[in-house]
Amino acid sequence: DVTQNYKSKKNSYFKFSYTTGQSGNSQTQTGIFYSDNNRYKLKIMGVEQIFDGAKVYSISEEDKEVTIAKQNESQGHFSPLSYLDSYKKEYNVTYSGKKTISGIPVDIIKMTPIKSNGLKNVTLYVNTPQKKLIKLEQVSTNNDLAIISISNYKENQTLSPSIFTFDKSKYQNYLITEL
């Protein structure tokens, strides 16, 4: 089971590309993601987001701004791993077969929302032998496509104790807003 495989790890790290838009008019960004199952750190599109288990800190270096908010339902939906927790209660799940991507055997899992949430469907591509998510495709009700392709996956690394901690002293020249 993919969910149990991720949760059994002390922590996970991966690089990813995030492509959004409609065919012919899409944009791709790269990012990095760290997680220890309860907390995460995400960097993409010039924004760093830290979730320390209670609050989400969104840090924009370009705008010199930090927004601090309590976690809410939608907060985790950017994370590819959030689907691994929510799928059982929020989606109808169907197995769509096997495929080979870049020489890797992949299981394809299609998820459709049980109730309207702005998405038509989510397709997960899971590396069969390793039981790891390698790609996620999300189609919204207005047919926008978001694709997260995972690369450079590492697990059980020795991470700095402060990786999931927001240090206000590093952002003295930033506008800090607490919601």
Side-chain angles (χ1 to χ4, degrees), residues 42-93:
L42 170 70
K43 287 185 181 186
I44 188 168
M45 296 185 263
V47 175
E48 180 173 348
Q49 192 174 77
I50 300 169
F51 176 60
D52 64 6
K55 292 183 179 179
V56 178
Y57 303 86
S58 297
I59 305 157
S60 170
E61 196 171 315
E62 182 181 342
D63 298 333
K64 298 275 187 235
E65 192 171 357
V66 176
T67 305
I68 304 169
K70 290 188 171 85
Q71 182 192 26
N72 65 39
E73 286 289 315
S74 65
Q75 224 82 52
H77 285 287
F78 182 84
S79 163
L81 302 182
S82 67
Y83 288 105
L84 301 178
D85 280 330
S86 67
Y87 78 92
K88 289 179 184 169
K89 56 185 179 273
E90 297 174 21
Y91 292 88
N92 291 313
V93 179

Side-chain angles (χ1 to χ4, degrees), residues 2-3 6-7 12-14 33-37 40 76-87 133 136 148 150 153:
V2 178
T3 306
Y6 279 103
K7 290 189 173 211
S12 301
Y13 159 86
F14 53 81
F33 181 81
Y34 292 90
S35 174
D36 74 350
N37 294 320
Y40 68 82
H77 285 287
F78 182 84
S79 163
L81 302 182
S82 67
Y83 288 105
L84 301 178
D85 280 330
S86 67
Y87 78 92
L133 186 63
L136 176 151
I148 298 173
I150 296 171
Y153 178 84

